[in-house]
Amino acid sequence: MNRRKKHGLPSGSLIHMGDHKLHQVEFSVMDFNEETYSEFEVKSIDDLAPCKSTETVSWINIDGVHDALVIQKIGEHFQLHPLLLEDLMNPNHRPKIEDFDDYIHFTLRMLSYDREKKQIEQEQVSFVLGEHWVISFQETPGDVFGPIRDRIRNNKGRIRKLKADYLAYALADIIVDHYFLIIDEIDEEIEKLEDEVLNGKNEEILRSIQHLKNELLLLRKSTLPVRDAVGNLMKGTSRLIAPQTTVFLKDVYDHTLHISDSIEIYRETLNSLMEVHLSALSNRLNQVMKVLTIISTIFIPLTFIVGVYGMNFRFMPELSWEYGYAMVWGIMILVTLFLVYILRRNRWM
Amino acid sequence: MNRRKKHGLPSGSLIHMGDHKLHQVEFSVMDFNEETYSEFEVKSIDDLAPCKSTETVSWINIDGVHDALVIQKIGEHFQLHPLLLEDLMNPNHRPKIEDFDDYIHFTLRMLSYDREKKQIEQEQVSFVLGEHWVISFQETPGDVFGPIRDRIRNNKGRIRKLKADYLAYALADIIVDHYFLIIDEIDEEIEKLEDEVLNGKNEEILRSIQHLKNELLLLRKSTLPVRDAVGNLMKGTSRLIAPQTTVFLKDVYDHTLHISDSIEIYRETLNSLMEVHLSALSNRLNQVMKVLTIISTIFIPLTFIVGVYGMNFRFMPELSWEYGYAMVWGIMILVTLFLVYILRRNRWM
Amino acid sequence: MNRRKKHGLPSGSLIHMGDHKLHQVEFSVMDFNEETYSEFEVKSIDDLAPCKSTETVSWINIDGVHDALVIQKIGEHFQLHPLLLEDLMNPNHRPKIEDFDDYIHFTLRMLSYDREKKQIEQEQVSFVLGEHWVISFQETPGDVFGPIRDRIRNNKGRIRKLKADYLAYALADIIVDHYFLIIDEIDEEIEKLEDEVLNGKNEEILRSIQHLKNELLLLRKSTLPVRDAVGNLMKGTSRLIAPQTTVFLKDVYDHTLHISDSIEIYRETLNSLMEVHLSALSNRLNQVMKVLTIISTIFIPLTFIVGVYGMNFRFMPELSWEYGYAMVWGIMILVTLFLVYILRRNRWM
Amino acid sequence: MNRRKKHGLPSGSLIHMGDHKLHQVEFSVMDFNEETYSEFEVKSIDDLAPCKSTETVSWINIDGVHDALVIQKIGEHFQLHPLLLEDLMNPNHRPKIEDFDDYIHFTLRMLSYDREKKQIEQEQVSFVLGEHWVISFQETPGDVFGPIRDRIRNNKGRIRKLKADYLAYALADIIVDHYFLIIDEIDEEIEKLEDEVLNGKNEEILRSIQHLKNELLLLRKSTLPVRDAVGNLMKGTSRLIAPQTTVFLKDVYDHTLHISDSIEIYRETLNSLMEVHLSALSNRLNQVMKVLTIISTIFIPLTFIVGVYGMNFRFMPELSWEYGYAMVWGIMILVTLFLVYILRRNRWM
Amino acid sequence: MNRRKKHGLPSGSLIHMGDHKLHQVEFSVMDFNEETYSEFEVKSIDDLAPCKSTETVSWINIDGVHDALVIQKIGEHFQLHPLLLEDLMNPNHRPKIEDFDDYIHFTLRMLSYDREKKQIEQEQVSFVLGEHWVISFQETPGDVFGPIRDRIRNNKGRIRKLKADYLAYALADIIVDHYFLIIDEIDEEIEKLEDEVLNGKNEEILRSIQHLKNELLLLRKSTLPVRDAVGNLMKGTSRLIAPQTTVFLKDVYDHTLHISDSIEIYRETLNSLMEVHLSALSNRLNQVMKVLTIISTIFIPLTFIVGVYGMNFRFMPELSWEYGYAMVWGIMILVTLFLVYILRRNRWM
């Protein structure tokens, strides 16, 4: 999160705030309605002119948001607010849905779980929903939206029957659906941890618990604002969202609720796990100390006794008794038995 | 919770997301009003046609939600929204009540306590309330609704006098009422745990506490959404809910409040129990260490003393004293008494 | 809390859910207005007929709610909702105030503190406020409402000047006022505990803290719903509550606020007390370990030294020195002084 | 808090619930507008008659609320609600602001910090704001309002230019302003505690932290209800509060916000302090145990070695070696060095 | 925070509550619209007269708020409320935005991170937004607003095209933007701490964690009130805020949300870090105790054995056996091996 680059500049200044990426910005356009469908690459931004005017739904996908010039031009073409353009180029933005009357701006976080690093990877995905068009922005070219492209191409489901608002829903839905995969991964990690806590390896476990808690925080940070924003959108004040799309938004909303429920439960589980772990540590200390105490309790008195008869006094009657040595052994065995009895009675052995 | 099966498919895709069940989907229909009553098995979905049109209340119970084709057909027959059908087939849905104007969709969780595994078993139960019909969906055929069937058959209580909305209430009520049984079981488990904490067995207790906390989380996850949903329904905006049914909904609402109160109290009790347990651990460590300290404090100095007279110096006057040995014993007894006095004064013995 | 008795029965089924009580249900009626006043025992429920119709305020007190038949008849007589009757017979209901338009139903908990068992005893008290009548229901005959009866008999205060709604307020007020007595008792218990923590007795204290926390939970469970319910009632939507009674309700509301404030403060105090207690345990462990360490640190090296001169080597020059023995004592005294100095410097002695 | 005195009496019964005070109730009246100003003592309550009728602002200050007769008469004179009079005489009331249409009743807590006892002293201050008059009630005669009297006498600030509502504001403001002094004292106490935790004295510190936390609870109990009540008053529904006074109320509101912010921060600081303290305890135990372990680890093996050569076997070749003794010393030095090396490597020395 | 200076004075009394600063109050004025631009120093407050009347936007920046006379005059000139003037001179005010109909008053906190002291430095910045003018107040002359001055001078961005409300937004935005720098610094500090916890140095870490938590509290105290205040302002009830400025306010609002999200996450991270640290302490104690126990368990029995044969009984057959000594060594080796085996089996070695 490096805000320093931009500090003090007028708001709306288009400076890319992520790490610099060198690849070329790529455009792809899908234009469709229930009957027709076309797909084309775009050379210059002027090629996008028809997208705005025609009645067909146009989906413009843009891979790469580091090129201020391109963003600037698109902003002018679709008359987007400068602050929106600024947000597009800041890859660490808080997820939000902002209604600019003529268009709605979605900023979401695409999350994926990197199993190697056991870490959630995140990427910002934005899209702008206008009357007959949706523009989606991603930093790295990826195939997140592949299934949606397929559904458009093959006219599967409702996607070609409905309008741009349904397309925007479908894009948001596929992103939020991905969070369930993360939840599954975290679920597995927690199960592993539960086993490990049972087996009693320790410092590492604490760190793993911390790590997972941080991942949950990250997931929550991505989910909660979406939940609130979709909740707002559902209230149906925007003229861009058709009433029949609201039920789909409700579905996304339910998913975010489900996810945040799960997050809360996992957090509680992890807290419990930590408590079990700490109490196990404490238990083990008790065990160790018991052993020490048993050994000491038995052998320290015995050592004292043999010490007594190791003294070199000239007048020690026991030393010359014939059965003195045997007697000492007898005493020691009795003492030992007595101590073992005491320890057992206190349930330490 | 295995969302992966479905990932990337258009929403409304009917794929069963639970473990695959092979049994045949079973239908049973009860059709009644205050005077008449009939009950019949259904061969084909077309047999359901009259249920929708007649003025009598029809209750269609469907055991098995894994067959997409059946769900699809029913959806078409009763004109249910595709997202609703999708929810029906996902057995891990968050409980909710959704108002689709022409019908209301309830998703609840039937909970039962498996005493063997000391575990809450859950199963999703959905129903859809239309103008003159209620369709209920369960995965496994069970007798949860048995008592309601009896009440219809025997015309007991209000159930045949009132409309479909009362039937829907009765179904929801019997499910929520089951939660009290779970609460009773948990209550018993907690009482057992309290005794065990008193008797001081340990690591297992911690795990039992964790386990119960998880069960409470599960119960809460099933109850809270119901509470909120019923709370919304009570506001009376749906034309499917007659005003006189609202007071019954208020009753369900009160039950969910009661249950969530109890959950909170049990959670606090379990937290307290854990604290008592941890403090008992700590206490026991103190006991162990006290014993070690007492033994060491008394015998280490004595061992030193006998060590002194075990030295082999040629010139050690005490060794040749006639009462040297007796004197050493005397000294050791004095030292012991002094130490015991000190320990007692500090309340360690 | 034994819900099982009732499970699966139609709602509104009148089955008493408390422990079975055998005593006879007792009725007493007071009928008054500013000028007149009469009091009579009731033989049959039909005797209650005038209570409903006359303009004078009638207070019908019923001791014993276990007789379904009686409840049933009263319900018919005063046209009470079946769910209300069901609630009356369930002695473990969550406190609530429910507005049925023609009458308002109050369910409250009478609490008293049993000093012997150090435990809060609770009993459900319900009343129904109609236009000119109030019916109060208690399980065990008690004199909770004695002072109100006296005020009616002696025409003290406002009670005979105002209507049934004021009577209902007075009944609720006397119950909530009792909670302050509980608060006082808990206050005393906490003060005792504070002293005991200072004196350092332990495991028992933890249990007492737990116990008090549970009592507070119980008190909170009785108070919070009342607070919310009275808060709702105050909004003045019921035609049964005269505007001038609202200010009295506000007073009850303030009392519940006061009580819940106190509960929160006591809970925090008990948590603090527990922390002090645990830290005292920890402190004591430190003390014990310090003593062990001091003893060991001083005597283990000395024992080593005397061990050295207890060896039986033929060639050990020190053994035959004339002042060898004295020298060893000298060394040991020096070592001791040095160790004591070190321990003191580290503030362990 | 002794509610028992009053239990069961009709509400509005005037019984003083504080400890009995014997001093005479004192009245003082200031009567002013922008031009004129008069101040007089009051012999009988009838002298107050003009206060109510004239257009000038009258401030009646009453020191002593234990005399039910006086309160009763004032209540009749100014037509105050009986519940209000009851509240006046209960010195442990929750702070509140209650709007009775014709007058507004303020109950606040005057707090002062007793540096000797390190304790917050509290006293209830009530006032009633009418159209042209303010009556203030205090138990003990004090000079809290001295500055306001001076401002009236000297016509300083706005106080004589504005109406009774501004006077009421000024009284409330001076009380809330006092809370900042308490905050300052607590701030100092916390700084002292922070130093003491650093220096490592212990059990006392824990108690001091507890004590300060309790004081903060008390302060919060006095502030929060005021914040909420002023917040309500600001909404401007009362005709007694002129619109231009609202901005002053906003100021009081901001102060209470500021105070409650500070309370939260101090609470968190105290919690942190406790954690630092407990962790320091734990640290110190670790130190103690390390010393014990070092001493034991080094000397126990050495003592074993010298023990070996203290055995009296007839055939122990080493004993008769010429350099046996030196060899043993050599071995012991090597063992010691090795152990010290091991301990250092594990960073225990 | 030294409120005592002012205690008891009438509200609106202008007394500077910070530490006394001696520098001269400095004025600078920028006056601009889209076409023209002028900048001038001000000698006397009467020079400000045109600022208020002209249609151009005037930005009056005042460095130094300690001179009551100057504040007083400005207050009269721009007809500011006395309470506002009082707030200006109190440098410890809670951040707030207050709408006085004819002008809006912003009180914010400028934060900067002092890397030397690892501490957040704060300074209060206030501004008042009128119809065509903005007055900003700072205590110490600084260059916080430098970038904005540059944008005005160079006519960069929107600042000269829009009105005074945009200027006020720009000032607030630059202050809130600074908080991101603090967040970055804290992020770095936390990363350092995480490394240090891993390396296991201790008491200092706890203090650093406490310190950072306090800094976060400070940051939160500065951010949360701004968030709420901007949230209120956004609702657009003030006629001074043009509708097109609202979207910019939304941006500030989003930033404050982002910051408070980060604060929450850092707080949780620090709490986790503390738990890891405490558990590491506990772990280390376990390690220490294990070593002690291993050493004691092995050597105490051996020392006992050699003690036995150090006894001086005349009749001890073993002593005169030829292989007695070897046998003892044998026994000791066997005992050692057995104990090592036991310890390993319990995973203590």
Side-chain angles (χ1 to χ4, degrees), chain B residues 209-277:
Chain B
I209 291 174
Q210 288 316 118
H211 179 68
L212 266 178
K213 276 172 100 175
N214 284 345
E215 299 297 284
L216 282 174
L217 280 175
L218 193 64
L219 185 54
R220 191 172 65 166
K221 205 181 160 185
S222 300
T223 311
L224 255 60
V226 179
R227 188 188 67 185
D228 298 343
V230 174
N232 274 332
L233 209 58
M234 264 164 53
K235 285 176 196 151
T237 52
S238 169
R239 63 174 182 85
L240 291 167
I241 308 285
Q244 71 265 36
T245 312
T246 310
V247 71
F248 293 102
L249 288 177
K250 177 91 171 65
D251 199 53
V252 176
Y253 184 71
D254 281 345
H255 290 174
T256 55
L257 276 185
H258 195 140
I259 292 162
S260 51
D261 275 12
S262 301
I263 292 170
E264 283 322 300
I265 285 179
Y266 290 139
R267 280 168 59 86
E268 297 217 26
T269 309
L270 287 172
N271 283 336
S272 295
L273 221 54
M274 189 129 96
E275 279 172 343
V276 173
H277 168 66

Side-chain angles (χ1 to χ4, degrees), chain E residues 120-135:
Chain E
I120 296 176
E121 303 288 323
Q122 51 179 332
E123 198 201 320
Q124 180 161 304
V125 177
S126 306
F127 35 95
V128 181
L129 160 66
E131 187 134 27
H132 301 297
W133 44 270
V134 172
I135 319 177

Side-chain angles (χ1 to χ4, degrees), chain E residues 231-248:
Chain E
N232 273 331
L233 211 57
M234 265 164 53
K235 286 177 196 153
T237 52
S238 170
R239 62 172 183 85
L240 291 167
I241 308 285
Q244 72 265 34
T245 311
T246 309
V247 72
F248 292 102

